């Protein structure tokens, strides 16, 4: 019985192994043919140039520990070979790094008494064919992402270059669309189901494979239901509405955008209506939400957001009335950009962003882009007179990136992020619950002191000064500039409006009035300018209706994860103060990252991993206790 | 009669307009529907932020000058619209730059008495369909190039990242292969020919379109003739032979590579045999050559190379025996990398590389990559103890890039480089016939002086010192390190060997002996090491047999172009000494760049543009007179 495998989770993900010296995995997800009930991988490493090097590996399976360890250094090509037998696994990987000062190594695992099962690809050739088609789609999407990244970070800024890139992207997009709507997919899914039935397979087997089928079926059927004219309308509107929004915003005149925005709402509703198929019991807004926050229902958001609003409005009033607000002086001065870049890089790599599996660059709007778990790139932006926006962006994007770097490597949808809220929970976990803590300020204050001091200007603020300055509350008209305390209300505001428009309780034309009134009543902010009011965000022009609430779902999830992480990780606070983030990052990987899209919803994941679904009281408690102390109220 | 066009040559190529204030074009090649017998475009520009800005345009057609000029600034999307009537052309282009501080402009052209003809796309819907298919292939190839570029310049160096990128590239490559061998293409070509016949069109009409058909037919038929197994063999060998070559080279043992190399030769021969179809009158080596140097024949290379060898061997002997060799001291010292980068960028942009339509980066091996004429990127590499290799690489790649930046924008094969020799002629024209001249050293010596001086180390060499140092002859075992005088012999040596192996006059096993003997007799260089001998170059392992001679074809072409350019451009020498390269670059654009692949061969282009086909005496004369003077022989 000879069988070639991908390598186990820990092995294929070298970055993971490097930082995790004892890894327990229950199921080898990458190698579908192998059901290891309990594997302990112990890694002994010799770090050489650029952190690559010889590696010795020992594996114990079940109660029996029986293994081989082996290291060697050799030049040669990348080569993975695996030999498996009923009670013995041997795997060897010869790697060659393609950097100068080449160091290569071989890992061998042998384990006894492993339970081996036949992979579904062997039982069902249709599954093999399906997986191959789906992986091709993933690869082509990744190609497109590389072109996007290049456009935003490197491409010359001329119109001609942009037009040429547009033509390239559009050729690729047509191919991807063609492959993603390939009519043979639904037939293959059916055949695999038949194969599963006739093979008389225990229903608990092939869980991942069943999830692959399910996810494929859902997205394929959704796409299939959209008529071609509606698809064309969506595409055309996506570009013309953006233009209309840019114009209206630059003129600060909502009425210029209103007719197009109506079309956007109508088109998004039409799409959602097709997406839900015949099932009109699903509210339209819930269906829209599903695009971004799989499995989340509008009525649940109503409850969660209601609770948050009820708690925050009085808290913010008290904070703003405080007579002891922290000073924001530490934010401002004159700072060298190169030194900021260096300290940002030092901090984010220490936090767990694997720079050997990614890059840090600059762009106008910070973003994260993943081409595979081994190449996840983040961008930030820096200014000479304020240093925290740069660091906050780096940590925020770094949080997104750590999710992508620690997700599985199957190139299938099960190994992609669960939802937008789940993704945002990762960026906000690191940005807020690590990066905005007193302990973090303790760890970074000396680093920041030397990076932010220049010729003749000393940055001599204490950790407490920095903590106060970066957490200072100051209500803003603009969401993206809002502090963490007032931010939720910006989201709730737009959520309420978009839901009311979708459900016919208000007209598009009335948005500015509603917006301005709500900003006044919730945040005591006067809006005199549509550009800084209801026109500030791009989302609606891209038909992303139902997207907004994921920002606050992410905030609430981050707070809940932080609560449990603090309980689970022994020296949570000391770790942060000492700049030791390995246990925290590994906890997130265990609880969130590695599951990809295996759960049906964020709620399902939280319930299974933490014991309760999304619960906004963690966010409320966190904000209440933090700001009560900081503002002495 | 309403008709939408691409824009005329000058208009679509904004970078071109910017530097050319009066442009005469005989035929509007971009707009196929429009035969303008003489158009003068006068451009009045206002340069704003980042060289983009408002632009006023006036056009006169024929003797009649009648036009509209118009400028305005407005935000809005890129939009091209054109209105044409029998005697009037109006065209407006609204552009929006995608940089911050947006400045947009509109150009209007109106011209009277223009001769207008119906575009082939309207006469033959099949032509339209064919062009669309071919453009899609071009776009997808450009996508692949972006991924290549990213891999070589930016991608993390881990094996996992490389493997992921490999999977992305391979998914894209399959699609491209599928599109390029689309069986409907040959049918479309036939239909277009029928359409052309039945429309009773003057044979001088639609020259470009006929060339598009011809080029497509040639490449499609070639691809079609290769059996699938041979294609698979080629792909597999391409990767395994590379590995075998790397191993053999690192062991410096040709015999380890010999069996694989035999396979490479056999496979390349088999492919060439299919490529030539039934026509066995075409010698196999000529057929191989055709892949890289379209239309060139082996017997012509024999003549050309023979002449060069006969002249150079005695010249080199005399040079090496000279008692007054120039000093190479000026090359060495301790040089700051950032300052080298800055001066390289200053020099190459002044020479005509349009930095707004490209980038300059660093990579292990310098290269040029074009994603479209508006985005052509070059890389160089720098060292701290020798400065000239970096500058030579920048100028060399800059020369390649100027070819790509000034080629037409149809996204079809007629608007791609003519041949490898033609491409190399452009890099070598700039590297040698500009960059290695006394005048160039005069222009750059002050710049280099300040860029290469460091703390406590002054770079105080005269223009003559620099000229001597960069032109010093020192025979090397390694081709890529060879000076321009001995370089041709490296090429001739490998050419003779590969041709003899292909034509059965020698065995693969005998290559090292032949190599070492020839190096001794031609260059008096002792080879004691296969790695520095016949194993030094990668080409054969990639089945690129017939590629090598294009290096020397490029050298000879560059010398010939330089001879005629000096005659045609009024102040050729002064221009170089003053750092004024516009007329020289425009001359090359007129003679070479803009023709793309419209000629059947390099010889045909040279004959038509210069009045004689490739003639090696220009290279011989150039080298003889230059080195006779420099070495006082």
């Amino acid at each position: 019985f000879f069988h070639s495998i991908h390598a186990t989770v820990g092995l294929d993900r070298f970055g993971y192994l490097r930082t995790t010296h004892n890894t327990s995995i229950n199921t080898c997800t990458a190698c579908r043919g192998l059901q290891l009930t309990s594997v302990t991988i112990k890694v002994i490493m010799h770090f050489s140039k650029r952190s690559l090097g010889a590696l010795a590996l020992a594996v114990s399976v079940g109660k029996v520990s029986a293994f081989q360890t082996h290291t060697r250094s050799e030049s040669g090509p990348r080569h993975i070979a695996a030999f498996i037998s009923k009670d013995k696994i041997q795997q060897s990987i010869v790697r060659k790094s393609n950097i100068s000062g080449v160091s290569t190594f071989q890992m061998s695992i042998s384990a006894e008494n492993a339970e081996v099962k036949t992979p579904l690809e062997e039982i069902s050739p249709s599954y093999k064919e399906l997986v191959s088609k789906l992986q091709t789609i993933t690869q082509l999407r990744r190609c497109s992402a590389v072109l996007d990244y290049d456009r935003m970070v490197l491409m010359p800024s001329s119109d001609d270059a942009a037009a040429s890139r547009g033509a390239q992207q559009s050729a690729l997009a047509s191919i991807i669309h063609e492959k993603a709507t390939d009519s043979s997919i639904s037939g293959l899914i059916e055949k695999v189901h038949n194969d599963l039935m006739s093979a008389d397979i225990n229903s608990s087997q092939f869980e991942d494979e069943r999830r692959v089928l399910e996810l494929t079926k859902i997205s394929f059927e959704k796409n299939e239901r959209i008529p071609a004219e509606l698809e064309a309308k969506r595409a055309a509107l996506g570009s013309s509405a953006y233009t209309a929004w840019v114009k209206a915003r630059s003129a600060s005149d909502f009425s210029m955008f209103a007719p197009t925005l109506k079309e956007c709402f109508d088109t998004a509703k039409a799409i959602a209506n097709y997406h839900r198929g015949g099932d009109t019991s699903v509210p339209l807004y819930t269906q829209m939400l599903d695009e971004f926050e799989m499995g989340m229902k509008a009525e649940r958001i109503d409850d969660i957001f209601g609770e948050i609003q009820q708690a925050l409005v009085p808290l913010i009033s008290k904070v703003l009335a405080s007579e002891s607000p922290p000073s924001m002086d530490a934010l401002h001065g004159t700072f060298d950009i190169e030194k900021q870049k260096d300290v940002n890089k030092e901090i984010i790599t220490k936090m767990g962003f694997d720079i050997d599996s990614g890059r840090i660059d600059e762009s106008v709007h910070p973003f994260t882009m993943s081409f595979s778990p081994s190449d996840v790139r983040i961008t930030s932006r820096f200014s000479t007179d304020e240093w925290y926006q740069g660091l906050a962006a780096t940590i925020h994007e770094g949080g997104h990136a750590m999710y992508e770097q620690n997700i599985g490597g199957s190139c299938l949808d099960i190994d992609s992020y669960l939802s937008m809220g789940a993704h945002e929970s990762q960026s906000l976990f690191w940005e807020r619950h690590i990066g905005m803590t007193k302990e973090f300020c303790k760890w970074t204050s000396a680093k920041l002191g030397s990076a932010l001091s220049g010729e003749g200007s000393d940055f001599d603020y204490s950790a407490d000064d920095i903590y106060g300055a970066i957490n200072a509350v100051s209500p803003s008209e603009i969401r993206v500039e809002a502090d963490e305390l007032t931010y939720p209300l910006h989201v709730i505001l737009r959520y309420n409006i978009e839901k009311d428009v979708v459900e016919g309780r208000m007209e598009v034309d009335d948005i500015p009035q509603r917006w301005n009134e709500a900003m006044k009543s919730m945040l005591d902010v006067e809006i005199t300018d549509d550009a800084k009011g209801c026109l500030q965000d791009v989302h609606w022009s891209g038909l992303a209706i139902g997207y907004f609430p994921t920002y606050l779902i992410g905030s609430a999830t981050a707070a809940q994860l932080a609560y449990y992480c603090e309980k689970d990780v022994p020296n949570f606070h000391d770790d942060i103060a000492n700049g030791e983030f390995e246990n925290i990052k590994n906890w997130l990987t265990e609880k969130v990252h590695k599951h990809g899209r295996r759960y049906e919803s964020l709620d399902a994941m939280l319930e299974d991993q933490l014991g309760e679904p999304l619960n906004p009281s963690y966010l409320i408690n966190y904000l209440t206790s933090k700001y009560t102390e900081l503002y002495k109220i």
Side-chain angles (χ1 to χ4, degrees), chain A:
Chain A
F1 174 59
F2 176 86
H3 166 54
S4 149
I5 64 167
H6 291 296
T8 66
V9 168
L11 300 180
D12 197 35
R13 306 292 314 289
F14 183 48
Y16 190 63
L17 268 183
R18 236 180 305 156
T19 52
T20 310
H21 291 247
N22 279 286
T23 309
S24 278
I25 45 172
N26 292 318
T27 318
C28 164
T29 50
C31 168
R32 296 176 198 301
L34 205 60
Q35 204 82 356
L36 302 178
T37 41
S38 171
V39 179
T40 305
I41 300 178
K42 194 175 165 204
V43 183
I44 308 128
M45 299 204 51
H46 169 66
F47 287 93
S48 74
K49 221 170 172 183
R50 300 198 57 170
S51 298
L52 289 170
L55 186 147
L57 202 79
V59 181
S60 67
V61 177
K63 296 262 148 52
V64 189
S65 60
F67 16 126
Q68 258 182 297
T69 67
H70 190 61
T71 56
R72 63 171 174 152
S73 197
E74 182 195 304
S75 70
R78 180 187 173 85
H79 169 70
I80 300 185
F83 305 88
I84 302 182
S85 68
K86 180 87 184 91
D87 60 353
K88 199 170 180 190
I89 307 159
Q90 284 192 327
Q91 174 175 345
S92 62
I93 302 183
V94 182
R95 282 161 175 276
K96 180 178 157 288
S97 74
N98 56 0
I99 53 172
S100 50
V102 174
S103 70
T104 59
F105 54 89
Q106 173 170 323
M107 299 191 277
S108 298
I109 310 175
S110 81
E112 294 188 15
N113 295 338
E115 183 192 334
V116 174
K117 71 172 186 188
T118 314
L120 185 54
E121 280 87 344
E122 282 183 21
I123 296 168
S124 168
S126 299
Y127 185 72
K128 195 173 175 182
E129 193 184 337
L130 179 67
V131 162
S132 155
K133 279 177 190 279
L134 297 175
Q135 285 171 332
T136 297
I137 296 169
T138 301
Q139 299 302 355
L140 295 173
R141 287 194 173 128
R142 288 174 174 181
C143 292
S144 179
V146 176
L147 273 78
D148 272 331
Y149 164 86
D150 183 89
R151 177 173 55 78
M152 291 189 281
V153 176
L154 296 172
M155 201 180 75
S157 62
S158 75
D159 286 344
D160 284 349
S164 296
R165 179 57 48 88
Q168 292 153 18
Q169 290 274 49
S170 132
L172 194 50
S174 308
I175 308 281
I176 294 170
H177 181 76
E178 202 180 294
K179 301 268 173 199
T181 53
D182 176 349
S183 58
S184 70
I185 288 178
S186 59
L188 285 172
I189 295 175
E190 220 180 293
K191 278 189 201 154
V192 181
H193 278 301
N194 293 341
D195 292 341
L196 278 167
M197 291 228 278
S198 62
D200 186 30
I201 291 157
N202 184 323
S203 71
S204 71
Q205 265 187 300
F206 299 125
E207 272 185 45
D208 273 3
E209 290 79 356
R210 288 176 199 273
R211 183 67 180 149
V212 168
L213 293 174
E214 190 176 35
L215 286 168
T216 309
K217 194 165 152 53
I218 292 169
S219 76
F220 183 80
E221 285 180 354
K222 262 193 193 170
N223 289 338
E224 206 187 22
R225 289 196 200 107
I226 306 292
E229 320 85 74
L230 188 57
E231 190 56 53
K233 168 106 196 210
R234 186 213 318 239
L237 202 55
S239 122
S240 67
Y242 175 78
T243 306
W245 170 73
V246 169
K247 279 193 178 172
R249 194 179 62 156
S250 82
S252 192
D253 181 357
F254 181 81
S255 69
M256 285 170 65
F257 184 45
T260 312
L261 184 56
K262 273 176 211 158
E263 269 193 273
C264 290
F265 270 98
D266 290 345
T267 308
K269 280 163 73 176
I271 291 168
N273 193 36
Y274 280 108
H275 276 168
R276 70 181 170 182
D279 187 5
T280 51
S281 73
V282 179
L284 268 193
Y285 190 83
T286 293
Q287 183 63 53
M288 289 169 165
L289 204 51
D290 198 65
E291 289 298 289
F292 309 105
E293 193 58 53
M294 192 172 47
M296 179 57 78
K297 289 183 172 45
E299 64 249 42
R300 219 172 120 51
I301 294 193
D302 286 340
D303 292 344
I304 292 169
F305 284 14
E307 236 181 282
I308 293 173
Q309 181 174 348
Q310 207 175 2
L312 292 196
V313 171
L315 178 62
I316 291 169
S317 294
K318 276 192 256 174
V319 162
L320 295 182
S322 162
E323 286 172 1
S324 317
S327 161
M328 292 169 79
D329 287 353
L331 301 179
H332 305 288
T334 306
F335 311 115
D336 183 72
I337 301 271
E338 288 308 313
K339 282 159 80 184
Q340 285 188 66
K341 279 193 209 170
D342 289 345
V343 77
N344 269 256
K345 183 175 171 181
E346 183 192 342
I347 290 171
I348 196 62
T349 49
K350 203 82 176 60
M351 288 174 90
F353 173 73
D354 179 4
I355 192 76
D356 294 330
S357 300
R359 290 179 57 89
I360 310 177
D361 292 289
E362 279 180 276
S363 65
V364 180
H365 301 288
F367 67 88
T368 301
M369 206 168 270
S370 170
F371 308 145
S372 78
S374 54
D375 190 357
V376 182
R377 306 190 187 173
I378 62 174
T379 68
S380 190
R381 62 175 163 195
F382 302 98
S383 86
T384 52
D385 53 7
E386 207 271 12
W387 60 271
Y388 180 62
Q389 296 302 320
L391 181 60
T394 302
I395 297 176
H396 184 95
E397 302 307 330
H400 281 307
M402 285 186 248
Y403 192 176
E404 295 289 344
Q405 286 186 330
N406 292 289
I407 226 161
S410 69
C411 298
L412 295 168
D413 276 356
I414 44 161
D415 284 329
S416 62
Y417 68 93
L418 178 60
S419 69
M420 295 307 299
H423 227 312
E424 194 70 7
S425 79
Q426 297 307 295
S427 52
L428 292 177
F429 179 97
W430 290 99
E431 182 190 345
R432 296 181 177 170
H433 300 280
I434 306 292
M436 289 169 77
T437 60
K438 283 184 188 164
E439 293 81 5
F440 190 82
C441 294
K442 260 182 221 154
W443 175 55
T444 52
S445 64
K447 289 181 206 305
L448 290 171
S450 81
L452 301 175
S453 294
E455 284 164 37
S457 73
D458 258 19
F459 183 86
D460 57 355
Y461 293 99
S462 69
D464 280 346
D465 293 337
I466 297 172
Y467 175 74
I470 66 175
N471 282 293
V473 174
S474 101
S476 159
E477 301 153 298
I478 305 295
R479 175 184 62 90
V480 296
E481 293 169 6
D483 53 76
E484 68 171 335
L485 188 60
T486 57
Y487 187 90
L489 301 183
H490 288 261
V491 176
I492 291 172
L493 206 170
R494 195 175 291 271
Y495 163 72
N496 288 332
I497 291 176
E498 70 178 17
K499 187 156 166 275
D500 283 353
V501 173
V502 167
E503 297 181 347
R505 278 188 302 275
M506 75 174 280
E507 293 301 320
V508 164
D509 291 332
D510 299 331
I511 290 175
Q513 196 195 339
R514 166 92 175 262
W515 183 277
N516 299 353
E517 285 170 9
M519 282 299 281
K520 180 68 190 164
S521 72
M522 286 161 88
L523 284 168
D524 197 26
V525 167
E526 207 79 54
I527 305 289
T528 53
D529 182 346
D530 286 347
K532 290 181 177 168
C534 58
L535 282 177
Q536 68 182 268
D537 275 304
V538 67
H539 306 59
W540 287 343
S541 77
L543 276 70
I545 297 163
Y547 183 105
F548 237 73
T550 68
Y551 288 124
L552 186 47
I553 293 169
S555 306
T557 306
Q560 186 168 348
L561 287 167
Y563 173 84
Y564 283 97
C565 185
E566 187 186 341
K567 285 209 324 190
D568 287 355
V569 171
N571 304 304
F572 183 81
H573 297 284
D574 287 350
D575 276 4
I576 300 173
N578 296 326
E580 295 294 342
F581 301 100
E582 204 175 307
N583 290 336
I584 295 172
K585 194 195 79 175
N586 290 343
W587 186 89
L588 287 171
T589 298
E590 282 302 306
K591 298 294 176 187
V592 179
H593 305 163
K594 75 173 194 183
H595 305 296
R597 208 167 278 185
R598 284 171 181 78
Y599 289 103
E600 283 183 1
S601 65
L602 180 61
D603 271 337
M605 181 174 74
L606 295 178
E607 176 132 34
D608 193 35
Q609 293 295 324
L610 307 181
E612 61 171 336
L614 182 58
N615 178 349
S617 58
Y618 296 103
L619 176 63
I620 293 166
N621 293 344
Y622 157 73
L623 293 173
T624 306
S625 92
K626 178 174 176 179
Y627 289 93
T628 300
E629 191 212 333
L630 182 63
Y631 278 81
K632 306 190 177 77
I633 49 176

